[in-house]
Structures are given as C-alpha cells and as structure tokens.
Amino acid sequence: EVQLVESGGGLVQPGGSLRLSCVASGFTFSVYPMSWVRQPPGKGLEWVSNISPGGHNTYYSDSAKGRFTISRDDAKNTLYLQLNRLRTEDTAMYYCLRPATSFKALEGLRGQGTQVTVSS
C-alpha cells in the first residue's frame, strides 16, 4: 500500500522546537522530491518546503526560511521537518506530500497529517 505517515506534532510554546517525521511506504521514496505543506485552522493548504531526490536541493517558503529545516533519510524512507523558533501563526496541521507536479504543488500523495499547536 502506498502511504505516508506523519508524526511528531504537539503543543509547544512560542519560541520552541519540534521535529516532524514522515515515513513512506509502497513506493521508491528515494527517487521522488518530497514536500511539507500545512493547513492553518480555517485556511487553505500552504506550501512550506521541498527537498529534491538525494537531498541536494532544498526550498522554503518565506515564512519557513531560516527557522525550518527539511531533510530526508532515504535508507529509512523518512522525511523530516525541524521546526525552530515557532510562532503562534505556525499553528496548523502539517502534511507530508509527494507532489504531483512542481516542487511547490499542493496536490499529490499526502499523509493524514500531524497537528502542531503553538501557544503559551
């Protein structure tokens, strides 16, 4: 079965950190670019970050740049997103995504999500 399973979300205070993980199965993870997208409460999906096959190239939204770090471990079929200096506006459901088209695409194979809540 082709699937993505996220974990690592939780409740954190502003300025705190979290590390999200996404385990892929059912396809050859290493050959695909992978993304993280998020959906804040009451809003649409937002692209956050993307990493190329092999991890040589990474891309970030303006909001994520300098605070978040995307990485991958192809031996473990796992995608990561390190979230640092979190802000209340980072509160969202975070999804791992195998994009269908371009690296900023919001469509594709998506996991069930992991909730990140930033609150004091």
Side-chain angles (χ1 to χ4, degrees):
E1 182 183 3
V2 175
Q3 65 176 353
L4 300 167
V5 179
E6 301 93 335
S7 62
L11 173 63
V12 62
Q13 292 186 339
S17 298
L18 283 172
R19 189 193 197 199
L20 308 184
S21 300
C22 168
V23 178
S25 60
F27 64 98
T28 307
F29 176 75
S30 61
V31 305
Y32 286 92
M34 295 296 297
S35 297
W36 286 97
V37 298
R38 68 184 184 184
Q39 186 166 22
K43 298 184 179 180
L45 279 173
E46 299 176 354
W47 174 76
V48 175
S49 183
N50 178 275
I51 187 167
S52 63
H56 303 295
N57 297 301
T58 58
Y59 308 91
Y60 297 94
S61 67
D62 287 343
S63 175
K65 207 169 295 182
R67 300 188 301 127
F68 297 174
T69 303
I70 192 170
S71 61
R72 64 192 298 162
D73 184 337
D74 289 343
K76 295 181 178 180
N77 287 347
T78 302
L79 178 72
Y80 302 100
L81 187 67
Q82 177 69 40
L83 309 174
N84 295 328
R85 291 160 37 211
L86 282 161
R87 306 166 180 164
T88 55
E89 55 264 39
D90 294 319
T91 294
M93 185 71 80
Y94 283 71
Y95 298 95
C96 173
L97 178 76
R98 190 185 77 183
T101 54
S102 69
F103 71 96
K104 284 189 175 181
L106 298 177
E107 304 82 18
L109 175 68
R110 198 173 75 188
Q112 85 290 346
T114 186
Q115 178 68 39
V116 172
T117 302
V118 185
S119 175
S120 55

